[in-house]
């Protein structure tokens, strides 16, 4: 069954030491830091603008027309003080109607080809990296600083999930719909400087285990599950940071409907089997996920026959499945 906002029931399950699987989406990377926006919508807009720029060069589209389209795509920057506000508003409405996210994704793939993977890498890791996350954590969440009153709490959900994974030893696995490694990075930052972030009582619990985190995707999906290794299953693919070699090969990136349909053709594909297995056999917490994601909704529905499992959806809005 699926429970929304039932924190009492969730607390009860955790006190009973039930094994938990986390399902995380782009929402865990949300931050109040003004220069960072790693949402799915922001990714689509950035890649779509890249595709338009390529198309401009190929089709010799005038720069003036391209600039008008870009202004129409820029939702936040559209001001009624602009002399062309009404025209730009019409363009924006038309673009949103004609190009929903999945259509945008197909256009992006068609125009950019394999370059879209490196474009996603630039979008993610040009905004955020381990150095920035560590700086934000140290300024906000260390024992020395966390009780101070602050205007903002950057990467709060990412920090909270990292703490939960470290402190709750019954997290069996993590299923991630994100392409990045930021959750693994957040966990490693807290563990590397654990005396700065955890109380003496918490340290006693942490020091009883040697937690190792590994990112799993593509051909690595069949890695063995052990008590010492916690796997993050990137069911939509994993894109390494620039400091690591970019592996494409069997690491299929799920971006458009083309990839969704390819996965659906194979009833035993590892991304589908992984989600169904965990949703059917473990208490699951869905954090920062888009419940409009077609495959996640389908897996939730297909696994609903397992009455002994519970799914907790942690989000800001009421969700109906």
């Amino acid at each position: 069954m699926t429970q929304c906002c039932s924190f009492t029931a969730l607390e009860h399950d955790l006190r009973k030491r039930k094994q938990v699987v986390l399902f995380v989406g782009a929402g865990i990377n949300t931050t109040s830091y003004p220069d960072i926006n790693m949402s799915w919508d922001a990714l689509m807009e950035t890649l779509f603008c890249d595709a338009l720029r390529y198309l401009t060069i190929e089709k010799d589209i005038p720069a003036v027309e391209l600039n008008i389209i870009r202004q129409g795509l820029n939702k936040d920057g559209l001001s009624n003080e602009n002399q062309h506000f009404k025209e730009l508003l019409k363009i924006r409405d038309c673009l949103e109607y004609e190009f929903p996210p999945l259509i945008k994704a197909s256009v992006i793939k068609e125009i950019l080809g394999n370059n879209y993977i490196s474009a996603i890498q630039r979008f993610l890791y040009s905004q955020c990296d381990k150095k920035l996350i560590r700086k934000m954590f140290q300024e906000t969440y260390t024992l020395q600083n966390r009780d101070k009153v602050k205007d903002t709490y950057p990467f709060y959900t990412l920090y909270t999930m990292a703490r939960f994974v470290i402190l709750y030893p019954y997290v069996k696995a993590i299923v991630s719909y994100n392409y990045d490694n930021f959750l693994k990075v957040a966990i490693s930052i807290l563990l590397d400087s654990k005396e700065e972030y955890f109380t003496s009582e918490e340290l006693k619990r942490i020091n009883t285990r040697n937690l190792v985190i590994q990112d799993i995707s593509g051909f690595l999906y069949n890695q063995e599950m052990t008590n010492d290794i916690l796997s993050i299953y990137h069911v939509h693919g994993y894109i390494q940071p620039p400091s690591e070699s970019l592996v494409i090969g069997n690491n299929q990136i799920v971006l458009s409907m083309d990839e969704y349909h390819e996965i659906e053709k194979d009833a035993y594909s590892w991304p589908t089997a992984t989600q169904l297995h965990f949703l059917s056999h473990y208490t699951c917490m869905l954090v920062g996920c888009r419940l409009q994601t077609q495959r996640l909704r389908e897996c939730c529905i297909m696994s609903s026959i397992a009455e002994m499992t519970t799914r907790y959806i942690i989000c800001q809005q009421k969700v109906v499945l």
Side-chain angles (χ1 to χ4, degrees):
M1 59 182 166
T2 303
Q3 297 192 15
C4 298
C5 302
S6 182
F7 289 105
T8 302
L10 175 57
E11 181 182 9
H12 179 262
D13 278 354
L14 297 181
R15 288 186 182 279
K16 289 178 66 176
R17 301 180 180 181
K18 285 196 173 182
Q19 290 190 324
V20 169
V21 174
L22 297 178
F23 283 69
V24 299
I28 68 166
N29 294 334
T30 302
T31 178
S32 55
Y33 201 66
D35 296 328
I36 298 177
N37 184 356
M38 294 183 289
S39 68
W40 176 256
D41 290 338
L43 171 62
M44 286 296 99
E45 286 185 24
T46 300
L47 295 182
F48 197 59
C49 285
D50 284 350
L52 287 175
R53 187 169 63 252
Y54 274 86
L55 199 61
T56 301
I57 298 171
E58 183 180 328
K59 301 296 183 181
D60 196 25
I61 299 174
V64 175
E65 293 183 13
L66 177 63
N67 189 49
I68 291 172
I69 296 174
R70 280 180 174 171
Q71 289 185 62
L73 285 169
N74 187 3
K75 300 176 184 178
D76 298 328
L78 196 56
S79 170
N80 55 14
E81 295 179 1
N82 190 310
Q83 60 177 332
H84 303 296
F85 175 72
K86 291 184 178 179
E87 290 81 2
L88 291 173
L89 192 62
K90 289 180 180 178
I91 292 172
R92 188 193 69 180
D93 292 342
C94 178
L95 288 170
E96 287 186 347
Y97 178 77
E98 296 290 344
F99 295 99
L102 288 175
I103 298 299
K104 280 184 180 178
S106 296
V107 172
I108 289 163
K109 275 197 64 185
E110 180 68 26
I111 297 175
L112 296 184
N114 285 334
N115 289 326
Y116 81 92
I117 296 178
S118 57
I120 295 174
Q121 185 188 59
R122 285 195 305 274
F123 171 83
L124 293 170
Y125 298 108
S126 64
Q127 296 189 74
C128 183
D129 57 19
K130 186 172 185 177
K131 183 179 178 180
L132 177 64
I133 296 174
R134 180 187 288 113
K135 177 177 180 290
M136 295 296 176
F137 279 15
Q138 287 178 340
E139 291 177 353
T140 313
Y141 304 117
T142 58
L143 295 176
Q144 182 180 355
N145 294 325
R146 70 183 184 186
D147 291 331
K148 296 177 181 177
V149 178
K150 307 171 189 69
D151 294 330
T152 59
Y153 292 83
F155 295 116
Y156 178 75
T157 306
L158 188 64
Y159 163 74
T160 303
M161 287 297 98
R163 269 185 63 87
F164 179 74
V165 169
I166 293 170
L167 290 172
Y168 189 72
Y170 306 103
V171 176
K172 187 68 175 178
I174 301 170
V175 175
S176 176
Y177 298 98
N178 300 335
Y179 306 126
D180 59 75
N181 69 342
F182 297 139
L183 180 55
K184 179 182 176 181
V185 165
I187 295 169
S188 69
I189 289 171
L190 297 185
L191 287 176
D192 289 345
S193 306
K194 53 189 175 184
E195 290 78 10
E196 296 181 32
Y197 293 97
F198 299 98
T199 65
S200 57
E201 287 300 314
E202 290 171 337
L203 287 172
K204 290 178 183 178
R205 294 159 56 189
I206 294 170
N207 291 331
T208 59
R209 58 194 298 227
N210 182 27
L211 182 61
V212 177
I213 310 294
Q214 63 178 358
D215 288 301
I216 299 294
S217 63
F219 59 89
L220 295 174
Y221 76 93
N222 59 352
Q223 291 283 331
E224 185 178 354
M225 295 171 63
T226 68
N227 291 331
D228 294 330
I229 298 177
L230 179 65
S231 297
I232 302 178
Y233 294 89
H234 294 268
V235 292
H236 285 176
Y238 171 54
I239 298 178
Q240 296 88 341
S243 58
E244 302 176 17
S245 57
L246 185 59
V247 179
I248 299 176
N250 292 327
N251 179 20
Q252 185 182 36
I253 304 301
V254 178
L255 181 73
S256 68
M257 286 303 295
D258 298 336
E259 290 88 12
Y260 280 105
H261 290 152
E262 283 298 318
I263 291 174
E264 286 181 345
K265 287 179 184 177
D266 182 4
Y268 301 100
S269 66
W270 83 264
T272 299
T274 299
Q275 294 174 78
L276 283 174
H277 171 71
F278 288 134
L279 286 167
S280 300
H281 296 89
Y282 295 91
T283 295
C284 296
M285 293 170 56
L286 283 67
V287 185
C289 298
R290 292 171 64 100
L291 271 300
Q292 297 93 335
T293 302
Q294 180 177 344
R295 198 62 191 144
L296 175 57
R297 293 177 68 92
E298 289 175 354
C299 286
C300 283
I301 292 170
M302 285 190 287
S303 63
S304 61
I305 57 173
E307 293 295 334
M308 298 303 294
T309 64
T310 306
R311 294 183 288 276
Y312 296 96
I313 303 171
I314 300 176
C315 61
Q316 293 180 326
Q317 299 174 335
K318 186 177 180 180
V319 177
V320 178
L321 284 176

